[in-house]
Amino acid sequence: MRIRSRIFLRTFLAISLAGAAFERALAEDPTDAFKSFPSISGTRKMPKLTSFNPLITDPTQSGELKDVKLEALLTEKGNPVQSGLTWRVFSPIPGSDGKLPLLATSEGGSTAFNLVPGEYFVNVAFGRAGATRKIRVPEDGMLDKQVLVLDAGGVMLNAVSGSDVRIPPNELSFSIFSSDVKEDGERALVVADVKPNTVIRLNAGTYHVVSNYGSVNAVIRADIQVEAGKLTDATIQHRAAKLTLKLVSEAGGEAIADTAWSILTSSGDVVSESVGAFPTLVLAEGSYTAVARNKDKIYQRDFAVKAGVNTDVEVLLGDNGEAGGAADAQD
């Protein structure tokens, strides 16, 4: 489905304003700027390491401990990140499981470790963004401060229905995928089940975003550009609406309980089935048929969904009802 050009304009303006505000925050106080980039929930927690703990990758290694200082930047010319970082130091020698052993970790901003001479892999993570470097700690002399450039920014997603109808946050979810399509036609999942207004830290680049409104067929896709050092605030437009189904004896009457519902597209495909007096669901814009079954009778009504117009769909109980008719139920 397509996103209207007006939404792209809104998104562009939101991105520009958020990016400018983020750059101003960086100029005023780098620490405050990064407070707007909270960590993703579910990130694996590692034990904190007090500074200057010795790390030994091999029992045969020896030598004077060297002070290795580390810092990370969002952009090449940016200021050091003061919070929200997770540093990990790995041995270059694979363990019995074929993986590189994790030697130590530290959380916060810039950090330092005391390391014996030798080679190490150093990784820094900032949410879903990260950078890795192989370093060699010399036996003689000191190692220069290691500066890793994350080339990272953030994205915050939201959506509206129709032109500007607010969607309750608990009815929205987003998934972020790589922009590259693999040979099997699929994209690599980067982050799943992202809630609205949640800041996600990502490496700079283009990402494919899938937005789900409800759980039936209201799905929108869009490509989002994440810029290093900036927060991208993107609002996606859904062409959908929320409906409440009712089987009634007269227009505006009370909903009849113990009713089974099926919703069919104009081509006859079933998109939703439920049981209840007045089930609520979200449907993409288009034409549908509501089929209600109650006490071995079937009633139906054709209706249309208009983007952003939340409404009730009433099916009348009775052979001569204006909104629908009845027929004997067939098992």
Side-chain angles (χ1 to χ4, degrees):
M1 300 181 71
R2 296 181 302 158
I3 297 178
R4 288 188 174 178
S5 57
R6 65 186 295 183
I7 294 303
F8 277 122
L9 177 60
R10 180 191 296 129
T11 301
F12 175 77
L13 291 174
I15 290 171
S16 301
L17 292 173
F22 189 70
E23 289 176 327
R24 286 198 301 272
L26 280 175
E28 294 169 1
D29 186 344
T31 302
D32 288 342
F34 292 109
K35 288 178 181 177
S36 65
F37 281 72
S39 298
I40 284 282
S41 60
T43 300
R44 184 172 69 150
K45 291 291 185 181
M46 304 296 295
K48 292 186 178 181
L49 179 74
T50 55
S51 298
F52 309 113
N53 272 12
L55 300 179
I56 301 177
T57 59
D58 190 309
T60 63
Q61 284 183 309
S62 61
E64 180 184 357
L65 294 174
K66 304 291 183 178
D67 184 11
V68 178
K69 296 180 179 180
L70 304 166
E71 71 178 25
L73 315 177
L74 275 187
T75 62
E76 190 172 350
K77 296 182 179 180
N79 296 317
V81 180
Q82 300 299 324
S83 62
L85 298 175
T86 298
W87 294 93
R88 295 182 176 91
V89 180
F90 295 89
S91 166
I93 304 172
S96 58
D97 59 358
K99 299 179 181 179
L100 299 182
L102 175 65
L103 302 177
T105 185
S106 177
E107 296 181 0
S110 299
T111 191
F113 297 106
N114 269 8
L115 306 177
V116 297
E119 292 185 338
Y120 303 86
F121 282 109
V122 175
N123 171 266
V124 59
F126 187 57
R128 297 285 173 166
T132 302
R133 175 181 297 178
K134 186 177 184 179
I135 65 171
R136 172 177 284 276
V137 179
E139 293 185 4
D140 300 319
M142 299 300 295
L143 182 67
D144 292 338
K145 179 172 62 178
Q146 300 296 295
V147 180
L148 280 69
V149 179
L150 289 159
D151 190 30
V155 62
M156 186 166 62
L157 302 168
N158 211 329
V160 295
S161 177
S163 58
D164 58 1
V165 177
R166 179 181 176 274
I167 299 174
N170 63 343
E171 297 176 3
L172 265 179
S173 68
F174 302 89
S175 293
I176 301 176
F177 295 83
S178 167
S179 61
D180 299 326
V181 180
K182 297 184 290 186
E183 292 182 359
D184 60 2
E186 299 295 324
R187 302 173 189 266
L189 177 64
V190 179
V191 192
D193 195 25
V194 177
K195 298 304 180 184
N197 300 316
T198 301
V199 177
I200 310 300
R201 304 162 178 168
L202 297 168
N203 287 110
T206 302
Y207 295 87
H208 187 74
V209 175
V210 178
S211 175
N212 289 273
Y213 175 21
S215 59
V216 183
N217 64 349
V219 181
I220 289 291
R221 298 172 179 269
D223 288 334
I224 303 294
Q225 184 71 32
V226 175
E227 298 183 53
K230 295 184 179 181
L231 175 62
T232 301
D233 187 349
T235 299
I236 294 174
Q237 183 187 38
H238 272 277
R239 305 297 303 171
K242 183 189 294 186
L243 308 171
T244 299
L245 305 173
K246 295 181 179 180
L247 178 63
V248 296
S249 58
E250 59 181 5
E254 291 293 326
I256 299 173
D258 301 323
T259 301
W261 294 91
S262 296
I263 304 298
L264 286 64
T265 64
S266 57
S267 60
D269 297 325
V270 178
V271 294
S272 175
E273 292 184 316
S274 58
V275 177
F278 36 84
T280 299
L281 70 162
V282 176
L283 292 175
E285 191 173 53
S287 298
Y288 299 88
T289 299
V291 179
R293 176 172 174 167
N294 184 272
K295 294 182 179 179
D296 296 327
K297 295 288 184 178
I298 291 180
Y299 310 87
Q300 68 179 49
R301 173 188 173 181
D302 294 334
F303 66 98
V305 175
K306 184 177 180 181
V309 180
N310 301 332
T311 187
D312 293 344
V313 175
E314 292 185 343
V315 178
L316 287 180
L317 183 66
D319 292 339
N320 299 318
E322 222 178 278
D328 288 336
Q330 300 294 322
D331 293 329

